[in-house]
Amino acid sequence: MDTSNSHEIMINETTPLVPAKGSKKPRTPLPKLQIGILITLQLAEPIASTSIFPYINQLIRELGITGGDDAAVGYYAGIIDSLFFVGQALTVLKWARLSDRIGRKPVLVIGLLGTCISMLCFGLSTNFWSLVVSRCMCGFLNGNVVVMKTMMGELTDSTNMAQGFALIPIVWCIGGFVGPLMGGTLARPQDHWPALFSGSFWRNYPYFLPCGVAACLLVLALVMMSIFLEETLSTKRRPKFTSTRVSVSNSPDRELLAKTSMANMPLRSLLTRSVVVPIANYAMLSFLDVSFRVLLPLFLSTPTYLGGLGFDPATIGWWMALIGITDGVFQAFFFARITDWIGPKRLFSASVWCYPPLVAMFPIMSWILRARGEVDYTITFALLFLICIEVTWDMGYGVVFMFITASAPTNNVLGAINGLSQTSAAVARAIGPALATSLFAVSKEHNLLGGNAVFVVLIMLSAGLRWLASRLPDEIQDRDE
Protein backbone atom coordinates (compact mmCIF):
# COMPACT_ATOMS: atom_id res chain seq x y z
CA MET A 1 0.00 0.00 0.00
CA ASP A 2 1.31 3.49 -0.90
CA THR A 3 1.65 5.33 2.40
CA SER A 4 2.04 8.69 0.62
CA ASN A 5 -1.58 8.61 -0.53
CA SER A 6 -3.32 11.62 1.00
CA HIS A 7 -6.66 9.79 0.98
CA GLU A 8 -5.43 7.03 3.30
CA ILE A 9 -8.00 6.03 5.90
CA MET A 10 -6.92 4.07 8.98
CA ILE A 11 -9.71 2.68 11.15
CA ASN A 12 -9.26 0.11 13.87
CA GLU A 13 -11.54 -2.86 14.41
CA THR A 14 -13.53 -1.16 17.14
CA THR A 15 -14.76 1.67 14.92
CA PRO A 16 -18.60 1.68 15.13
CA LEU A 17 -20.58 1.22 11.98
CA VAL A 18 -22.55 4.22 10.72
CA PRO A 19 -26.23 3.63 11.54
CA ALA A 20 -28.65 3.31 8.70
CA LYS A 21 -30.42 6.49 7.69
CA GLY A 22 -33.59 6.96 9.71
CA SER A 23 -32.46 4.72 12.58
CA LYS A 24 -32.06 6.24 16.02
CA LYS A 25 -28.46 6.79 17.06
CA PRO A 26 -27.27 5.36 20.38
CA ARG A 27 -26.92 8.03 23.05
CA THR A 28 -23.35 9.13 23.67
CA PRO A 29 -22.39 9.15 27.38
CA LEU A 30 -21.85 12.64 28.76
CA PRO A 31 -18.26 13.54 29.78
CA LYS A 32 -19.27 13.64 33.43
CA LEU A 33 -16.11 15.13 34.93
CA GLN A 34 -15.82 18.09 32.57
CA ILE A 35 -19.55 18.81 32.60
CA GLY A 36 -19.56 18.49 36.39
CA ILE A 37 -16.82 21.13 36.64
CA LEU A 38 -18.60 23.34 34.11
CA ILE A 39 -21.93 23.32 35.93
CA THR A 40 -20.14 23.98 39.23
CA LEU A 41 -18.68 27.11 37.65
CA GLN A 42 -22.12 28.06 36.37
CA LEU A 43 -23.54 27.67 39.87
CA ALA A 44 -21.45 30.56 41.21
CA GLU A 45 -22.97 32.99 38.69
CA PRO A 46 -26.68 32.75 39.64
CA ILE A 47 -25.84 32.67 43.33
CA ALA A 48 -24.03 35.99 42.98
CA SER A 49 -26.64 37.59 40.70
CA THR A 50 -29.76 36.51 42.63
CA SER A 51 -28.42 37.12 46.13
CA ILE A 52 -29.29 40.84 45.86
CA PHE A 53 -32.97 40.26 45.03
CA PRO A 54 -34.35 39.84 48.58
CA TYR A 55 -32.84 43.07 49.90
CA ILE A 56 -32.44 45.38 46.92
CA ASN A 57 -35.82 47.09 47.47
CA GLN A 58 -35.13 47.62 51.17
CA LEU A 59 -31.63 48.90 50.36
CA ILE A 60 -33.12 51.51 48.01
CA ARG A 61 -35.52 52.64 50.73
CA GLU A 62 -32.72 52.90 53.32
CA LEU A 63 -30.50 54.94 50.99
CA GLY A 64 -33.28 57.56 50.83
CA ILE A 65 -33.34 57.58 47.04
CA THR A 66 -37.13 57.73 46.80
CA GLY A 67 -37.66 60.34 49.52
CA GLY A 68 -39.97 57.98 51.43
CA ASP A 69 -42.23 57.22 48.45
CA ASP A 70 -42.68 53.42 48.56
CA ALA A 71 -44.47 53.38 45.21
CA ALA A 72 -41.36 54.79 43.48
CA VAL A 73 -39.03 52.01 44.68
CA GLY A 74 -39.82 50.04 41.53
CA TYR A 75 -38.29 52.69 39.27
CA TYR A 76 -34.88 52.49 40.90
CA ALA A 77 -34.93 48.73 41.46
CA GLY A 78 -35.64 48.29 37.76
CA ILE A 79 -32.77 50.57 36.77
CA ILE A 80 -30.29 48.66 38.93
CA ASP A 81 -31.53 45.29 37.66
CA SER A 82 -31.27 46.52 34.05
CA LEU A 83 -27.78 47.99 34.26
CA PHE A 84 -26.09 44.60 34.40
CA PHE A 85 -27.77 43.55 31.17
CA VAL A 86 -27.01 46.88 29.50
CA GLY A 87 -23.31 46.32 30.15
CA GLN A 88 -23.58 42.70 29.03
CA ALA A 89 -25.40 43.64 25.83
CA LEU A 90 -22.60 46.03 24.89
CA THR A 91 -19.75 43.56 25.43
CA VAL A 92 -20.93 39.92 25.42
CA LEU A 93 -20.56 39.48 21.66
CA LYS A 94 -16.97 40.75 21.91
CA TRP A 95 -16.26 38.19 24.66
CA ALA A 96 -17.85 35.42 22.57
CA ARG A 97 -15.78 36.27 19.49
CA LEU A 98 -12.66 36.58 21.64
CA SER A 99 -13.29 33.09 23.06
CA ASP A 100 -13.40 31.75 19.48
CA ARG A 101 -9.86 33.08 18.99
CA ILE A 102 -7.99 32.78 22.30
CA GLY A 103 -9.97 29.97 23.93
CA ARG A 104 -12.80 29.60 26.40
CA LYS A 105 -10.83 29.47 29.65
CA PRO A 106 -9.11 32.90 29.44
CA VAL A 107 -12.47 34.60 28.93
CA LEU A 108 -13.94 32.69 31.89
CA VAL A 109 -11.09 33.93 34.11
CA ILE A 110 -11.84 37.55 33.22
CA GLY A 111 -15.57 37.06 33.78
CA LEU A 112 -15.19 35.43 37.19
CA LEU A 113 -12.75 38.10 38.39
CA GLY A 114 -15.01 40.88 37.11
CA THR A 115 -18.07 39.48 38.85
CA CYS A 116 -16.12 39.00 42.09
CA ILE A 117 -14.85 42.60 42.16
CA SER A 118 -18.25 44.04 41.26
CA MET A 119 -19.98 42.10 44.06
CA LEU A 120 -17.52 43.51 46.61
CA CYS A 121 -18.13 47.02 45.27
CA PHE A 122 -21.89 46.49 45.47
CA GLY A 123 -21.63 45.50 49.15
CA LEU A 124 -19.60 48.64 49.90
CA SER A 125 -22.02 50.99 48.11
CA THR A 126 -23.53 53.80 50.17
CA ASN A 127 -25.37 55.76 47.46
CA PHE A 128 -27.28 55.15 44.25
CA TRP A 129 -24.42 55.97 41.89
CA SER A 130 -22.03 53.50 43.50
CA LEU A 131 -24.71 50.83 42.97
CA VAL A 132 -24.90 51.91 39.33
CA VAL A 133 -21.13 51.65 38.80
CA SER A 134 -20.85 48.22 40.42
CA ARG A 135 -23.70 46.73 38.37
CA CYS A 136 -22.33 48.20 35.13
CA MET A 137 -18.90 46.78 35.93
CA CYS A 138 -20.40 43.35 36.47
CA GLY A 139 -22.10 43.47 33.07
CA PHE A 140 -19.13 44.85 31.14
CA LEU A 141 -16.65 42.25 32.42
CA ASN A 142 -18.92 39.21 32.29
CA GLY A 143 -19.06 37.01 29.19
CA ASN A 144 -19.28 33.79 31.18
CA VAL A 145 -22.86 32.85 30.38
CA VAL A 146 -22.29 32.70 26.64
CA VAL A 147 -18.92 30.95 26.97
CA MET A 148 -20.31 28.28 29.28
CA LYS A 149 -23.21 27.54 26.92
CA THR A 150 -20.72 27.31 24.06
CA MET A 151 -18.61 24.85 26.05
CA MET A 152 -21.69 22.77 26.80
CA GLY A 153 -22.40 22.62 23.08
CA GLU A 154 -18.83 21.48 22.41
CA LEU A 155 -19.01 18.79 25.09
CA THR A 156 -22.24 17.27 23.73
CA ASP A 157 -23.55 15.95 20.43
CA SER A 158 -26.97 15.46 18.86
CA THR A 159 -27.67 12.32 20.91
CA ASN A 160 -27.06 13.75 24.39
CA MET A 161 -27.77 17.45 23.86
CA ALA A 162 -31.06 17.36 25.79
CA GLN A 163 -29.34 15.83 28.83
CA GLY A 164 -26.50 18.34 28.69
CA PHE A 165 -28.57 21.47 28.19
CA ALA A 166 -31.12 20.35 30.80
CA LEU A 167 -28.35 20.95 33.34
CA ILE A 168 -28.09 24.68 32.55
CA PRO A 169 -31.56 25.69 33.85
CA ILE A 170 -31.11 23.20 36.71
CA VAL A 171 -27.95 25.00 37.80
CA TRP A 172 -29.66 28.37 37.55
CA CYS A 173 -32.55 27.00 39.61
CA ILE A 174 -30.18 25.77 42.30
CA GLY A 175 -28.47 29.15 42.23
CA GLY A 176 -31.91 30.71 42.42
CA PHE A 177 -32.43 28.69 45.61
CA VAL A 178 -29.08 29.36 47.29
CA GLY A 179 -28.67 33.00 46.18
CA PRO A 180 -31.90 34.52 47.54
CA LEU A 181 -31.70 32.35 50.66
CA MET A 182 -28.16 33.57 51.29
CA GLY A 183 -28.99 37.19 50.47
CA GLY A 184 -32.11 37.30 52.62
CA THR A 185 -30.49 35.51 55.55
CA LEU A 186 -27.15 37.35 55.60
CA ALA A 187 -28.46 40.86 54.91
CA ARG A 188 -28.15 43.17 57.93
CA PRO A 189 -26.27 40.62 60.08
CA GLN A 190 -26.01 43.09 62.94
CA ASP A 191 -29.77 42.69 63.45
CA HIS A 192 -29.71 38.88 63.47
CA TRP A 193 -26.38 38.15 65.20
CA PRO A 194 -25.41 41.28 67.17
CA ALA A 195 -22.79 39.41 69.19
CA LEU A 196 -20.81 38.58 66.05
CA PHE A 197 -21.48 41.65 63.93
CA SER A 198 -21.58 44.58 66.31
CA GLY A 199 -18.79 46.70 64.82
CA SER A 200 -19.24 50.00 63.03
CA PHE A 201 -18.31 48.39 59.71
CA TRP A 202 -21.51 46.31 59.68
CA ARG A 203 -23.60 49.34 60.63
CA ASN A 204 -22.13 51.32 57.74
CA TYR A 205 -22.29 48.43 55.24
CA PRO A 206 -25.22 46.24 56.36
CA TYR A 207 -25.41 44.39 53.02
CA PHE A 208 -21.72 43.58 52.58
CA LEU A 209 -21.86 40.08 54.12
CA PRO A 210 -23.95 38.39 51.37
CA CYS A 211 -21.84 40.15 48.73
CA GLY A 212 -18.60 39.05 50.42
CA VAL A 213 -19.75 35.42 50.64
CA ALA A 214 -20.76 35.49 46.96
CA ALA A 215 -17.30 36.87 46.07
CA CYS A 216 -15.63 34.03 47.98
CA LEU A 217 -17.65 31.48 46.04
CA LEU A 218 -16.50 33.08 42.80
CA VAL A 219 -12.85 32.86 43.89
CA LEU A 220 -13.29 29.15 44.66
CA ALA A 221 -14.88 28.64 41.24
CA LEU A 222 -11.93 30.42 39.61
CA VAL A 223 -9.40 28.17 41.36
CA MET A 224 -11.35 25.02 40.43
CA MET A 225 -11.60 26.11 36.80
CA SER A 226 -7.90 26.89 36.52
CA ILE A 227 -6.89 23.46 37.82
CA PHE A 228 -9.45 21.02 36.47
CA LEU A 229 -11.36 22.43 33.49
CA GLU A 230 -10.03 21.51 30.03
CA GLU A 231 -10.13 23.84 27.06
CA THR A 232 -12.89 22.89 24.60
CA LEU A 233 -12.01 25.12 21.63
CA SER A 234 -10.53 22.69 19.11
CA THR A 235 -7.82 25.06 17.90
CA LYS A 236 -6.54 25.61 21.46
CA ARG A 237 -6.73 22.06 22.80
CA ARG A 238 -3.61 20.05 23.41
CA PRO A 239 -3.21 17.39 20.70
CA LYS A 240 -4.37 13.91 21.68
CA PHE A 241 -3.53 10.71 19.82
CA THR A 242 -5.95 7.81 19.65
CA SER A 243 -6.03 4.45 17.87
CA THR A 244 -8.56 5.81 15.38
CA ARG A 245 -7.32 8.27 12.77
CA VAL A 246 -9.13 9.61 9.78
CA SER A 247 -7.16 11.61 7.20
CA VAL A 248 -8.97 12.79 4.09
CA SER A 249 -6.70 14.95 1.92
CA ASN A 250 -6.36 17.74 4.49
CA SER A 251 -3.21 18.11 6.55
CA PRO A 252 -3.49 19.23 10.21
CA ASP A 253 -2.25 22.68 9.22
CA ARG A 254 -4.97 23.03 6.61
CA GLU A 255 -7.64 21.86 9.06
CA LEU A 256 -6.44 24.42 11.60
CA LEU A 257 -6.48 27.14 8.96
CA ALA A 258 -10.01 26.18 7.92
CA LYS A 259 -11.25 26.24 11.50
CA THR A 260 -9.59 29.59 12.19
CA SER A 261 -11.05 31.18 9.06
CA MET A 262 -14.51 29.84 9.97
CA ALA A 263 -14.20 31.38 13.44
CA ASN A 264 -13.35 34.75 11.85
CA MET A 265 -16.15 34.73 9.27
CA PRO A 266 -18.38 37.85 9.10
CA LEU A 267 -21.30 37.82 11.54
CA ARG A 268 -23.68 38.84 8.78
CA SER A 269 -23.12 35.52 7.04
CA LEU A 270 -24.43 33.73 10.15
CA LEU A 271 -27.78 35.53 10.13
CA THR A 272 -29.77 32.84 8.36
CA ARG A 273 -33.38 31.99 9.19
CA SER A 274 -32.32 28.83 11.05
CA VAL A 275 -30.15 30.99 13.34
CA VAL A 276 -32.32 34.10 13.69
CA VAL A 277 -35.58 32.36 14.64
CA PRO A 278 -34.19 30.54 17.74
CA ILE A 279 -32.35 33.71 18.80
CA ALA A 280 -35.55 35.77 18.50
CA ASN A 281 -37.38 33.21 20.64
CA TYR A 282 -34.61 33.34 23.23
CA ALA A 283 -34.69 37.15 23.34
CA MET A 284 -38.47 37.30 23.83
CA LEU A 285 -38.37 34.48 26.37
CA SER A 286 -35.67 36.37 28.30
CA PHE A 287 -37.64 39.62 28.23
CA LEU A 288 -40.81 38.04 29.62
CA ASP A 289 -38.94 35.91 32.15
CA VAL A 290 -36.81 38.69 33.60
CA SER A 291 -39.93 40.89 33.83
CA PHE A 292 -41.60 38.21 35.94
CA ARG A 293 -38.50 37.68 38.09
CA VAL A 294 -38.03 41.34 38.97
CA LEU A 295 -41.73 41.82 39.64
CA LEU A 296 -41.89 38.86 42.03
CA PRO A 297 -39.67 40.27 44.83
CA LEU A 298 -41.07 43.75 44.18
CA PHE A 299 -44.63 42.46 44.57
CA LEU A 300 -43.70 40.45 47.66
CA SER A 301 -42.04 43.47 49.32
CA THR A 302 -44.63 46.11 48.33
CA PRO A 303 -46.79 47.20 51.30
CA THR A 304 -50.23 45.61 51.46
CA TYR A 305 -52.02 48.96 51.09
CA LEU A 306 -50.48 49.22 47.60
CA GLY A 307 -51.56 45.70 46.64
CA GLY A 308 -48.40 43.78 47.55
CA LEU A 309 -47.82 41.20 50.25
CA GLY A 310 -45.52 43.24 52.53
CA PHE A 311 -42.93 40.48 53.14
CA ASP A 312 -39.55 41.22 54.76
CA PRO A 313 -36.25 40.28 52.99
CA ALA A 314 -35.85 37.00 54.89
CA THR A 315 -39.35 35.82 53.95
CA ILE A 316 -38.79 36.86 50.33
CA GLY A 317 -35.53 34.94 50.32
CA TRP A 318 -37.22 31.77 51.57
CA TRP A 319 -39.99 31.93 48.97
CA MET A 320 -37.57 32.59 46.12
CA ALA A 321 -35.36 29.78 47.38
CA LEU A 322 -38.35 27.42 47.36
CA ILE A 323 -39.11 28.42 43.76
CA GLY A 324 -35.50 27.76 42.78
CA ILE A 325 -35.13 24.33 44.37
CA THR A 326 -38.54 23.13 43.14
CA ASP A 327 -37.70 24.27 39.64
CA GLY A 328 -34.29 22.59 39.77
CA VAL A 329 -35.62 19.24 40.98
CA PHE A 330 -38.34 19.23 38.32
CA GLN A 331 -35.86 20.07 35.55
CA ALA A 332 -33.44 17.39 36.75
CA PHE A 333 -35.97 14.56 36.76
CA PHE A 334 -38.40 15.46 33.98
CA PHE A 335 -36.94 17.84 31.37
CA ALA A 336 -35.03 15.29 29.28
CA ARG A 337 -37.84 12.72 29.54
CA ILE A 338 -40.53 15.18 28.49
CA THR A 339 -38.33 16.42 25.63
CA ASP A 340 -37.90 12.85 24.36
CA TRP A 341 -41.60 12.16 24.85
CA ILE A 342 -43.34 15.08 23.13
CA GLY A 343 -40.45 16.67 21.26
CA PRO A 344 -38.66 19.99 21.81
CA LYS A 345 -41.01 22.21 19.80
CA ARG A 346 -44.18 20.96 21.52
CA LEU A 347 -42.54 21.33 24.92
CA PHE A 348 -41.48 24.90 24.12
CA SER A 349 -45.01 25.77 22.96
CA ALA A 350 -46.48 24.30 26.16
CA SER A 351 -44.03 26.34 28.25
CA VAL A 352 -44.91 29.54 26.42
CA TRP A 353 -48.63 29.06 27.09
CA CYS A 354 -47.90 28.99 30.85
CA TYR A 355 -46.90 32.67 30.95
CA PRO A 356 -50.39 34.27 31.00
CA PRO A 357 -51.60 32.27 34.04
CA LEU A 358 -48.21 32.77 35.70
CA VAL A 359 -48.48 36.58 35.53
CA ALA A 360 -52.20 36.50 36.33
CA MET A 361 -51.34 35.08 39.77
CA PHE A 362 -50.14 38.54 40.90
CA PRO A 363 -53.53 40.32 40.69
CA ILE A 364 -55.23 37.15 41.95
CA MET A 365 -53.12 37.22 45.11
CA SER A 366 -53.86 40.94 45.54
CA TRP A 367 -57.56 40.21 45.28
CA ILE A 368 -57.29 37.36 47.80
CA LEU A 369 -55.44 39.62 50.24
CA ARG A 370 -58.08 42.34 49.97
CA ALA A 371 -60.85 39.79 50.44
CA ARG A 372 -59.23 38.02 53.42
CA GLY A 373 -57.75 41.13 55.03
CA GLU A 374 -54.47 39.41 55.94
CA VAL A 375 -51.80 37.07 54.61
CA ASP A 376 -53.02 33.59 55.52
CA TYR A 377 -53.01 30.04 54.16
CA THR A 378 -54.85 31.08 50.98
CA ILE A 379 -51.90 33.26 49.97
CA THR A 380 -49.60 30.33 50.74
CA PHE A 381 -51.60 28.05 48.45
CA ALA A 382 -51.62 30.74 45.74
CA LEU A 383 -47.82 31.05 45.92
CA LEU A 384 -47.45 27.27 45.73
CA PHE A 385 -49.67 27.20 42.65
CA LEU A 386 -47.54 29.96 41.11
CA ILE A 387 -44.48 27.74 41.65
CA CYS A 388 -46.18 24.86 39.82
CA ILE A 389 -46.82 27.07 36.79
CA GLU A 390 -43.32 28.56 36.91
CA VAL A 391 -41.50 25.22 36.68
CA THR A 392 -43.30 24.44 33.41
CA TRP A 393 -42.58 27.90 32.03
CA ASP A 394 -38.90 27.57 32.86
CA MET A 395 -38.44 24.46 30.70
CA GLY A 396 -38.50 26.77 27.69
CA TYR A 397 -34.88 27.76 28.36
CA GLY A 398 -33.45 24.27 28.00
CA VAL A 399 -35.32 23.78 24.73
CA VAL A 400 -34.33 27.08 23.14
CA PHE A 401 -30.66 26.46 24.03
CA MET A 402 -30.89 23.22 22.06
CA PHE A 403 -32.33 24.99 19.02
CA ILE A 404 -29.63 27.69 19.14
CA THR A 405 -26.79 25.17 19.46
CA ALA A 406 -28.16 23.00 16.65
CA SER A 407 -28.37 26.05 14.35
CA ALA A 408 -24.56 26.48 14.29
CA PRO A 409 -23.09 25.25 10.96
CA THR A 410 -19.88 24.28 12.79
CA ASN A 411 -18.59 24.29 16.37
CA ASN A 412 -16.01 26.94 15.46
CA VAL A 413 -18.75 29.55 15.08
CA LEU A 414 -20.76 28.27 18.03
CA GLY A 415 -19.23 30.95 20.23
CA ALA A 416 -20.26 33.67 17.79
CA ILE A 417 -23.81 32.35 17.51
CA ASN A 418 -24.11 32.06 21.28
CA GLY A 419 -22.69 35.58 21.48
CA LEU A 420 -25.40 36.86 19.15
CA SER A 421 -28.08 35.07 21.16
CA GLN A 422 -26.73 36.32 24.48
CA THR A 423 -26.47 39.87 23.15
CA SER A 424 -30.11 39.73 22.05
CA ALA A 425 -31.13 38.26 25.41
CA ALA A 426 -29.08 40.88 27.29
CA VAL A 427 -30.79 43.72 25.40
CA ALA A 428 -34.16 42.16 26.24
CA ARG A 429 -33.16 41.73 29.88
CA ALA A 430 -31.93 45.32 30.02
CA ILE A 431 -35.30 46.59 28.81
CA GLY A 432 -37.43 44.14 30.80
CA PRO A 433 -36.66 45.13 34.42
CA ALA A 434 -36.82 48.88 33.77
CA LEU A 435 -40.05 48.58 31.79
CA ALA A 436 -41.76 46.09 34.09
CA THR A 437 -40.92 47.83 37.36
CA SER A 438 -41.73 51.26 35.92
CA LEU A 439 -45.10 50.00 34.70
CA PHE A 440 -45.64 48.47 38.13
CA ALA A 441 -44.92 51.81 39.81
CA VAL A 442 -47.12 53.74 37.37
CA SER A 443 -49.92 51.19 37.77
CA LYS A 444 -49.84 51.59 41.54
CA GLU A 445 -49.42 55.38 41.59
CA HIS A 446 -52.29 56.05 39.17
CA ASN A 447 -54.36 52.94 39.96
CA LEU A 448 -54.40 51.89 36.30
CA LEU A 449 -56.76 48.92 35.85
CA GLY A 450 -56.90 48.64 39.60
CA GLY A 451 -53.10 48.78 39.83
CA ASN A 452 -52.77 45.76 37.50
CA ALA A 453 -51.99 47.40 34.14
CA VAL A 454 -48.44 46.02 34.13
CA PHE A 455 -49.71 42.44 34.25
CA VAL A 456 -52.16 43.03 31.39
CA VAL A 457 -49.36 44.46 29.24
CA LEU A 458 -47.09 41.47 29.87
CA ILE A 459 -49.85 38.98 29.06
CA MET A 460 -50.48 40.80 25.77
CA LEU A 461 -46.76 40.77 24.91
CA SER A 462 -46.58 37.01 25.52
CA ALA A 463 -48.69 36.55 22.37
CA GLY A 464 -45.61 37.61 20.41
CA LEU A 465 -43.61 34.74 21.89
CA ARG A 466 -46.35 32.27 21.00
CA TRP A 467 -46.11 33.41 17.38
CA LEU A 468 -42.31 33.15 17.38
CA ALA A 469 -42.54 29.64 18.84
CA SER A 470 -44.66 28.57 15.87
CA ARG A 471 -41.78 29.60 13.55
CA LEU A 472 -39.31 27.14 15.09
CA PRO A 473 -38.45 24.03 13.04
CA ASP A 474 -40.47 20.93 13.87
CA GLU A 475 -37.33 18.94 14.69
CA ILE A 476 -33.89 19.92 15.94
CA GLN A 477 -31.23 19.67 13.25
CA ASP A 478 -28.76 16.77 13.65
CA ARG A 479 -25.44 18.51 14.31
CA ASP A 480 -23.42 15.44 13.30
CA GLU A 481 -24.84 15.61 9.76
Side-chain angles (χ1 to χ4, degrees):
M1 179 177 180
D2 185 2
T3 57
S4 64
N5 190 340
S6 63
H7 293 272
E8 172 193 0
I9 300 179
M10 298 177 60
I11 304 177
N12 66 11
E13 296 179 356
T14 61
T15 301
L17 296 176
V18 177
K21 186 175 181 180
S23 61
K24 189 173 183 180
K25 294 182 180 180
R27 181 175 296 168
T28 306
L30 290 173
K32 296 182 176 59
L33 176 60
Q34 288 302 301
I35 286 185
I37 297 170
L38 186 62
I39 64 174
T40 301
L41 297 179
Q42 288 179 318
L43 183 59
E45 294 277 333
I47 290 176
S49 62
T50 61
S51 64
I52 71 171
F53 288 168
Y55 62 79
I56 183 62
N57 299 299
Q58 182 170 328
L59 173 59
I60 290 172
R61 292 188 184 98
E62 292 178 1
L63 291 178
I65 299 170
T66 65
D69 184 3
D70 289 333
V73 169
Y75 291 118
Y76 296 94
I79 290 173
I80 292 173
D81 288 329
S82 294
L83 285 172
F84 168 83
F85 298 109
V86 170
Q88 189 181 69
L90 294 174
T91 59
V92 69
L93 184 56
K94 299 293 184 182
W95 293 122
R97 296 288 277 179
L98 184 63
S99 77
D100 282 339
R101 292 195 295 271
I102 69 172
R104 316 302 184 197
K105 288 184 67 174
V107 177
L108 287 179
V109 170
I110 298 172
L112 289 171
L113 285 175
T115 305
C116 178
I117 295 171
S118 67
M119 287 301 298
L120 293 175
C121 293
F122 193 89
L124 295 172
S125 298
T126 56
N127 56 64
F128 179 71
W129 288 109
S130 56
L131 294 176
V132 168
V133 171
S134 63
R135 290 301 284 170
C136 287
M137 181 193 306
C138 189
F140 283 133
L141 298 177
N142 194 330
N144 287 4
V145 174
V146 62
V147 175
M148 289 178 182
K149 284 190 290 188
T150 300
M151 294 182 75
M152 182 64 76
E154 291 168 331
L155 290 169
T156 59
D157 59 27
S158 58
T159 66
N160 56 14
M161 191 191 304
Q163 286 69 38
F165 278 95
L167 298 173
I168 295 179
I170 291 171
V171 169
W172 278 89
C173 293
I174 296 174
F177 164 74
V178 177
L181 185 62
M182 181 180 75
T185 303
L186 300 182
R188 301 190 62 85
Q190 71 277 13
D191 296 339
H192 303 295
W193 308 285
L196 296 175
F197 302 95
S198 58
S200 60
F201 176 85
W202 302 107
R203 289 194 300 272
N204 295 330
Y205 308 103
Y207 299 100
F208 179 79
L209 184 59
C211 296
V213 172
C216 291
L217 293 176
L218 291 165
V219 171
L220 290 175
L222 177 60
V223 173
M224 178 184 295
M225 183 213 69
S226 302
I227 297 174
F228 298 111
L229 187 65
E230 296 179 2
E231 178 62 62
T232 60
L233 182 64
S234 59
T235 56
K236 297 297 179 180
R237 288 176 65 89
R238 295 177 181 176
K240 294 183 179 180
F241 299 95
T242 63
S243 59
T244 301
R245 177 170 64 89
V246 178
S247 175
V248 183
S249 72
N250 285 335
S251 67
D253 291 339
R254 288 183 178 178
E255 291 177 359
L256 178 60
L257 180 61
K259 290 175 180 178
T260 304
S261 62
M262 181 68 76
N264 293 322
M265 66 190 298
L267 287 177
R268 183 177 299 177
S269 63
L270 298 176
L271 299 179
T272 62
R273 184 182 186 278
S274 61
V275 173
V276 171
V277 170
I279 289 177
N281 275 272
Y282 180 37
M284 194 63 185
L285 178 73
S286 300
F287 170 80
L288 294 173
D289 185 62
V290 76
S291 298
F292 163 75
R293 296 192 185 280
V294 298
L295 285 177
L296 180 60
L298 181 58
F299 174 79
L300 296 179
S301 67
T302 298
T304 54
Y305 72 89
L306 288 174
L309 299 186
F311 289 170
D312 58 33
T315 305
I316 295 172
W318 277 104
W319 273 109
M320 295 188 70
L322 180 60
I323 292 173
I325 194 62
T326 305
D327 200 354
V329 170
F330 188 86
Q331 298 274 349
F333 286 99
F334 298 108
F335 174 79
R337 296 179 183 180
I338 296 175
T339 303
D340 291 339
W341 176 38
I342 66 174
K345 183 174 181 179
R346 289 190 182 93
L347 176 56
F348 188 77
S349 298
S351 300
V352 167
W353 275 100
C354 288
Y355 194 77
L358 178 67
V359 174
M361 289 304 300
F362 289 116
I364 290 174
M365 285 188 285
S366 294
W367 176 81
I368 292 174
L369 183 60
R370 287 195 301 269
R372 307 286 295 187
E374 61 180 354
V375 176
D376 59 7
Y377 70 93
T378 56
I379 295 295
T380 301
F381 283 130
L383 284 168
L384 293 174
F385 185 67
L386 178 145
I387 293 174
C388 294
I389 304 173
E390 193 272 343
V391 296
T392 306
W393 157 256
D394 208 42
M395 286 194 292
Y397 275 112
V399 178
V400 81
F401 293 157
M402 294 168 60
F403 277 107
I404 291 171
T405 301
S407 71
T410 171
N411 278 353
N412 293 88
V413 295
L414 186 55
I417 288 177
N418 275 321
L420 287 170
S421 68
Q422 197 63 38
T423 299
S424 303
V427 171
R429 287 170 173 154
I431 298 171
L435 179 62
T437 54
S438 297
L439 283 175
F440 183 89
V442 170
S443 300
K444 297 302 180 184
E445 284 181 344
H446 302 283
N447 198 33
L448 301 177
L449 297 179
N452 300 315
V454 58
F455 309 122
V456 175
V457 171
L458 289 176
I459 290 173
M460 293 173 62
L461 290 174
S462 67
L465 180 57
R466 292 197 296 273
W467 179 81
L468 286 171
S470 68
R471 304 293 98 188
L472 288 169
D474 293 333
E475 299 292 338
I476 287 182
Q477 175 180 319
D478 191 336
R479 292 166 57 202
D480 299 332
E481 297 178 356

